Amino acid sequence: MEITAVRFTEIEQVMAIELAGFSAAEAGTRTQYLERIAQFTDTFLVARAGEKVIGFICGPAVAENELADWMYERAPKNLPVGGNQMILTIAVAPQWQKRHVGSQLLLALEEVARQKERQQIILTCLASRISFYKRNGYYNAGVSASQHAGERWYTMKKDLNLLQSVREVASMQPKKD
């Protein structure tokens, strides 16, 4: 398996995974995904087995501290550096689930976010997915204001500068001889 940036030619595979994983009300449209591919050039990643897309993750890098419903409707352009990394969607083809593809996609996007000096990764999820994100280092920040698809969503966050802060504090401690 390899994880790389999505290609426009993979739109049909992306849409098949999207429609397999989300209800009609939750799923993004083909037009929205084409816009996301165009706008999230370095933060729309796909996992591939050979030439077959088996999962994907995407979202904008923005100044906002919360994921908002408008981001699903019209894809904002990524900030070049800084801000926060949002995740609009992470999805894995049904036959590839339970093989850690989702966790590997999260790690790959986290690496991009760290390289671009993002402060946090932020997403919303249904209650049934909270434990998955917790296992991947996210914390539950509470019920989201999102009204997307009429569901109750929870905000999950992962602070990216926490480890850096711990290292900075440790380096300031007096060394014992």
Side-chain angles (χ1 to χ4, degrees):
M1 181 184 78
E2 70 170 336
I3 297 175
T4 66
V6 68
R7 300 177 207 136
F8 276 102
T9 57
E10 295 169 323
I11 186 65
E12 300 309 327
Q13 293 182 74
V14 166
M15 289 309 302
I17 294 169
E18 173 78 357
L19 295 173
F22 297 96
S23 71
E26 295 168 344
T29 66
R30 187 176 196 282
T31 300
Q32 288 169 327
Y33 271 95
L34 286 170
E35 184 181 11
R36 291 171 189 176
I37 292 170
Q39 295 292 75
F40 312 154
T41 56
D42 57 347
T43 59
F44 195 133
L45 306 176
V46 294
R48 286 188 202 86
E51 285 300 309
K52 184 168 180 59
V53 174
I54 60 173
F56 69 92
I57 189 168
C58 70
V62 296
E64 286 82 357
N65 290 322
E66 297 294 329
L67 191 132
D69 287 348
W70 68 265
M71 294 176 194
Y72 288 95
E73 300 303 319
R74 55 183 196 283
K77 189 170 182 157
N78 278 349
L79 291 173
V81 179
N84 294 300
Q85 178 64 58
M86 303 295 162
I87 297 176
L88 298 181
T89 307
I90 179 172
V92 175
Q95 65 272 32
W96 284 88
Q97 292 176 2
K98 309 287 186 214
R99 297 187 191 186
H100 306 287
V101 175
S103 294
Q104 290 179 53
L105 284 164
L106 286 170
L107 283 172
L109 186 60
E110 180 178 332
E111 180 59 31
V112 171
R114 286 183 186 281
Q115 289 171 3
K116 298 287 186 166
E117 301 174 10
R118 313 282 186 230
Q119 296 299 306
Q120 300 178 86
I121 301 176
I122 304 165
L123 61 96
T124 59
C125 70
L126 299 172
S128 63
R129 303 303 297 152
I130 291 173
S131 63
F132 167 75
Y133 291 108
K134 282 186 173 182
R135 285 192 309 272
N136 283 280
Y138 290 74
Y139 66 91
N140 184 349
V143 176
S144 169
S146 176
Q147 300 295 309
H148 184 66
E151 299 277 2
R152 173 177 253 171
W153 300 93
Y154 293 84
T155 298
M156 303 297 292
K157 295 185 175 186
K158 186 172 194 176
D159 293 326
L160 298 180
N161 58 355
L162 185 61
L163 185 56
Q164 181 180 346
S165 298
V166 169
R167 287 182 183 145
E168 288 170 0
V169 169
S171 72
M172 291 188 285
Q173 298 298 320
K175 299 211 191 291
K176 295 181 180 177
D177 294 328

